[in-house]
PDB file of all heavy atoms in Angstrom:
ATOM      1  N   LEU Y 496     -20.819   3.228 -14.878  1.00 97.00           N
ATOM      2  CA  LEU Y 496     -21.362   1.959 -15.367  1.00 97.00           C
ATOM      3  C   LEU Y 496     -22.207   2.117 -16.591  1.00 97.00           C
ATOM      4  O   LEU Y 496     -22.633   1.175 -17.214  1.00 97.00           O
ATOM      5  CB  LEU Y 496     -22.215   1.344 -14.185  1.00 97.00           C
ATOM      6  CG  LEU Y 496     -21.421   0.797 -13.041  1.00 97.00           C
ATOM      7  CD1 LEU Y 496     -22.314   0.612 -11.819  1.00 97.00           C
ATOM      8  CD2 LEU Y 496     -20.789  -0.501 -13.471  1.00 97.00           C
ATOM      9  N   ARG Y 497     -22.616   3.446 -16.849  1.00 96.00           N
ATOM     10  CA  ARG Y 497     -23.638   3.688 -17.828  1.00 96.00           C
ATOM     11  C   ARG Y 497     -23.248   3.186 -19.284  1.00 96.00           C
ATOM     12  O   ARG Y 497     -24.017   2.603 -19.935  1.00 96.00           O
ATOM     13  CB  ARG Y 497     -23.879   5.104 -17.910  1.00 96.00           C
ATOM     14  CG  ARG Y 497     -25.053   5.507 -18.808  1.00 96.00           C
ATOM     15  CD  ARG Y 497     -24.748   6.781 -19.387  1.00 96.00           C
ATOM     16  NE  ARG Y 497     -25.832   7.658 -19.790  1.00 96.00           N
ATOM     17  CZ  ARG Y 497     -25.540   8.817 -20.382  1.00 96.00           C
ATOM     18  NH1 ARG Y 497     -24.274   9.255 -20.492  1.00 96.00           N
ATOM     19  NH2 ARG Y 497     -26.561   9.578 -20.838  1.00 96.00           N
ATOM     20  N   SER Y 498     -21.992   3.341 -19.719  1.00 95.00           N
ATOM     21  CA  SER Y 498     -21.650   2.914 -21.024  1.00 95.00           C
ATOM     22  C   SER Y 498     -21.644   1.411 -21.057  1.00 95.00           C
ATOM     23  O   SER Y 498     -21.979   0.795 -22.124  1.00 95.00           O
ATOM     24  CB  SER Y 498     -20.332   3.532 -21.468  1.00 95.00           C
ATOM     25  OG  SER Y 498     -19.226   3.035 -20.767  1.00 95.00           O
ATOM     26  N   ALA Y 499     -21.333   0.710 -19.947  1.00 96.00           N
ATOM     27  CA  ALA Y 499     -21.404  -0.772 -19.997  1.00 96.00           C
ATOM     28  C   ALA Y 499     -22.873  -1.166 -20.098  1.00 96.00           C
ATOM     29  O   ALA Y 499     -23.214  -2.096 -20.849  1.00 96.00           O
ATOM     30  CB  ALA Y 499     -20.808  -1.285 -18.750  1.00 96.00           C
ATOM     31  N   VAL Y 500     -23.786  -0.486 -19.388  1.00 95.00           N
ATOM     32  CA  VAL Y 500     -25.229  -0.807 -19.478  1.00 95.00           C
ATOM     33  C   VAL Y 500     -25.678  -0.662 -20.942  1.00 95.00           C
ATOM     34  O   VAL Y 500     -26.352  -1.529 -21.478  1.00 95.00           O
ATOM     35  CB  VAL Y 500     -26.104   0.084 -18.576  1.00 95.00           C
ATOM     36  CG1 VAL Y 500     -27.544  -0.224 -18.815  1.00 95.00           C
ATOM     37  CG2 VAL Y 500     -25.662  -0.077 -17.188  1.00 95.00           C
ATOM     38  N   ARG Y 501     -25.259   0.415 -21.571  1.00 94.00           N
ATOM     39  CA  ARG Y 501     -25.673   0.690 -22.963  1.00 94.00           C
ATOM     40  C   ARG Y 501     -25.247  -0.416 -23.880  1.00 94.00           C
ATOM     41  O   ARG Y 501     -25.920  -0.860 -24.726  1.00 94.00           O
ATOM     42  CB  ARG Y 501     -25.147   1.973 -23.465  1.00 94.00           C
ATOM     43  CG  ARG Y 501     -25.890   3.178 -22.900  1.00 94.00           C
ATOM     44  CD  ARG Y 501     -25.280   4.455 -23.415  1.00 94.00           C
ATOM     45  NE  ARG Y 501     -26.000   5.589 -23.139  1.00 94.00           N
ATOM     46  CZ  ARG Y 501     -25.607   6.837 -23.443  1.00 94.00           C
ATOM     47  NH1 ARG Y 501     -24.532   7.047 -24.027  1.00 94.00           N
ATOM     48  NH2 ARG Y 501     -26.459   7.819 -23.155  1.00 94.00           N
ATOM     49  N   GLU Y 502     -24.069  -0.980 -23.647  1.00 95.00           N
ATOM     50  CA  GLU Y 502     -23.507  -2.057 -24.445  1.00 95.00           C
ATOM     51  C   GLU Y 502     -24.452  -3.325 -24.278  1.00 95.00           C
ATOM     52  O   GLU Y 502     -24.730  -3.992 -25.163  1.00 95.00           O
ATOM     53  CB  GLU Y 502     -22.090  -2.325 -24.123  1.00 95.00           C
ATOM     54  CG  GLU Y 502     -21.487  -3.563 -24.788  1.00 95.00           C
ATOM     55  CD  GLU Y 502     -20.534  -3.171 -25.864  1.00 95.00           C
ATOM     56  OE1 GLU Y 502     -19.944  -2.080 -25.883  1.00 95.00           O
ATOM     57  OE2 GLU Y 502     -20.352  -4.018 -26.769  1.00 95.00           O
ATOM     58  N   THR Y 503     -24.821  -3.571 -23.068  1.00 94.00           N
ATOM     59  CA  THR Y 503     -25.601  -4.747 -22.826  1.00 94.00           C
ATOM     60  C   THR Y 503     -26.992  -4.542 -23.414  1.00 94.00           C
ATOM     61  O   THR Y 503     -27.614  -5.513 -23.911  1.00 94.00           O
ATOM     62  CB  THR Y 503     -25.771  -5.060 -21.302  1.00 94.00           C
ATOM     63  OG1 THR Y 503     -26.607  -3.978 -20.704  1.00 94.00           O
ATOM     64  CG2 THR Y 503     -24.499  -5.148 -20.595  1.00 94.00           C
ATOM     65  N   VAL Y 504     -27.482  -3.290 -23.534  1.00 92.00           N
ATOM     66  CA  VAL Y 504     -28.777  -3.033 -24.153  1.00 92.00           C
ATOM     67  C   VAL Y 504     -28.687  -3.333 -25.568  1.00 92.00           C
ATOM     68  O   VAL Y 504     -29.608  -3.924 -26.254  1.00 92.00           O
ATOM     69  CB  VAL Y 504     -29.195  -1.640 -23.911  1.00 92.00           C
ATOM     70  CG1 VAL Y 504     -30.443  -1.205 -24.747  1.00 92.00           C
ATOM     71  CG2 VAL Y 504     -29.486  -1.363 -22.416  1.00 92.00           C
ATOM     72  N   GLN Y 505     -27.507  -3.019 -26.207  1.00 92.00           N
ATOM     73  CA  GLN Y 505     -27.363  -3.268 -27.649  1.00 92.00           C
ATOM     74  C   GLN Y 505     -27.121  -4.795 -27.947  1.00 92.00           C
ATOM     75  O   GLN Y 505     -27.310  -5.219 -29.122  1.00 92.00           O
ATOM     76  CB  GLN Y 505     -26.213  -2.460 -28.198  1.00 92.00           C
ATOM     77  CG  GLN Y 505     -26.642  -1.074 -28.550  1.00 92.00           C
ATOM     78  CD  GLN Y 505     -25.484  -0.104 -28.598  1.00 92.00           C
ATOM     79  OE1 GLN Y 505     -24.339  -0.513 -28.796  1.00 92.00           O
ATOM     80  NE2 GLN Y 505     -25.727   1.103 -28.479  1.00 92.00           N
ATOM     81  N   ARG Y 506     -26.657  -5.547 -26.966  1.00 94.00           N
ATOM     82  CA  ARG Y 506     -26.250  -6.945 -27.250  1.00 94.00           C
ATOM     83  C   ARG Y 506     -27.054  -7.824 -26.287  1.00 94.00           C
ATOM     84  O   ARG Y 506     -26.493  -8.562 -25.476  1.00 94.00           O
ATOM     85  CB  ARG Y 506     -24.794  -7.142 -27.081  1.00 94.00           C
ATOM     86  CG  ARG Y 506     -23.941  -6.445 -28.124  1.00 94.00           C
ATOM     87  CD  ARG Y 506     -22.504  -6.260 -27.685  1.00 94.00           C
ATOM     88  NE  ARG Y 506     -21.944  -7.566 -27.411  1.00 94.00           N
ATOM     89  CZ  ARG Y 506     -20.683  -7.745 -26.786  1.00 94.00           C
ATOM     90  NH1 ARG Y 506     -20.058  -6.753 -26.398  1.00 94.00           N
ATOM     91  NH2 ARG Y 506     -20.300  -9.031 -26.573  1.00 94.00           N
ATOM     92  N   PRO Y 507     -28.410  -7.860 -26.464  1.00 92.00           N
ATOM     93  CA  PRO Y 507     -29.226  -8.645 -25.511  1.00 92.00           C
ATOM     94  C   PRO Y 507     -28.917 -10.131 -25.502  1.00 92.00           C
ATOM     95  O   PRO Y 507     -29.004 -10.851 -24.533  1.00 92.00           O
ATOM     96  CB  PRO Y 507     -30.678  -8.394 -25.907  1.00 92.00           C
ATOM     97  CG  PRO Y 507     -30.595  -7.770 -27.303  1.00 92.00           C
ATOM     98  CD  PRO Y 507     -29.295  -7.205 -27.448  1.00 92.00           C
ATOM     99  N   LYS Y 508     -28.499 -10.704 -26.660  1.00 93.00           N
ATOM    100  CA  LYS Y 508     -28.176 -12.095 -26.816  1.00 93.00           C
ATOM    101  C   LYS Y 508     -26.968 -12.418 -25.905  1.00 93.00           C
ATOM    102  O   LYS Y 508     -26.960 -13.526 -25.248  1.00 93.00           O
ATOM    103  CB  LYS Y 508     -27.896 -12.459 -28.162  1.00 93.00           C
ATOM    104  CG  LYS Y 508     -29.158 -12.529 -29.088  1.00 93.00           C
ATOM    105  CD  LYS Y 508     -29.029 -13.665 -30.075  1.00 93.00           C
ATOM    106  CE  LYS Y 508     -30.204 -13.693 -31.013  1.00 93.00           C
ATOM    107  NZ  LYS Y 508     -30.156 -12.409 -31.943  1.00 93.00           N
ATOM    108  N   ASP Y 509     -26.009 -11.542 -25.918  1.00 95.00           N
ATOM    109  CA  ASP Y 509     -24.755 -11.794 -25.166  1.00 95.00           C
ATOM    110  C   ASP Y 509     -24.996 -11.640 -23.608  1.00 95.00           C
ATOM    111  O   ASP Y 509     -24.309 -12.247 -22.846  1.00 95.00           O
ATOM    112  CB  ASP Y 509     -23.666 -10.851 -25.562  1.00 95.00           C
ATOM    113  CG  ASP Y 509     -23.121 -11.235 -26.905  1.00 95.00           C
ATOM    114  OD1 ASP Y 509     -23.280 -12.398 -27.365  1.00 95.00           O
ATOM    115  OD2 ASP Y 509     -22.461 -10.385 -27.568  1.00 95.00           O
ATOM    116  N   PHE Y 510     -25.929 -10.687 -23.324  1.00 95.00           N
ATOM    117  CA  PHE Y 510     -26.164 -10.411 -21.923  1.00 95.00           C
ATOM    118  C   PHE Y 510     -27.605 -10.629 -21.629  1.00 95.00           C
ATOM    119  O   PHE Y 510     -28.399  -9.650 -21.520  1.00 95.00           O
ATOM    120  CB  PHE Y 510     -25.755  -8.927 -21.626  1.00 95.00           C
ATOM    121  CG  PHE Y 510     -24.313  -8.679 -22.020  1.00 95.00           C
ATOM    122  CD1 PHE Y 510     -23.940  -8.011 -23.199  1.00 95.00           C
ATOM    123  CD2 PHE Y 510     -23.214  -9.069 -21.208  1.00 95.00           C
ATOM    124  CE1 PHE Y 510     -22.673  -7.758 -23.512  1.00 95.00           C
ATOM    125  CE2 PHE Y 510     -21.885  -8.886 -21.551  1.00 95.00           C
ATOM    126  CZ  PHE Y 510     -21.635  -8.148 -22.692  1.00 95.00           C
ATOM    127  N   PRO Y 511     -28.015 -11.890 -21.462  1.00 93.00           N
ATOM    128  CA  PRO Y 511     -29.461 -12.069 -21.293  1.00 93.00           C
ATOM    129  C   PRO Y 511     -30.025 -11.756 -19.883  1.00 93.00           C
ATOM    130  O   PRO Y 511     -31.238 -11.635 -19.769  1.00 93.00           O
ATOM    131  CB  PRO Y 511     -29.537 -13.658 -21.478  1.00 93.00           C
ATOM    132  CG  PRO Y 511     -28.208 -14.147 -21.129  1.00 93.00           C
ATOM    133  CD  PRO Y 511     -27.208 -13.053 -21.437  1.00 93.00           C
TER     134      PRO Y 511
END
Side-chain angles (χ1 to χ4, degrees):
Chain Y
L496 287 163
R497 186 214 207 182
S498 67
V500 176
R501 285 181 169 176
E502 174 106 22
T503 66
V504 170
Q505 275 161 22
R506 293 164 56 192
K508 286 215 185 70
D509 288 340
F510 304 101

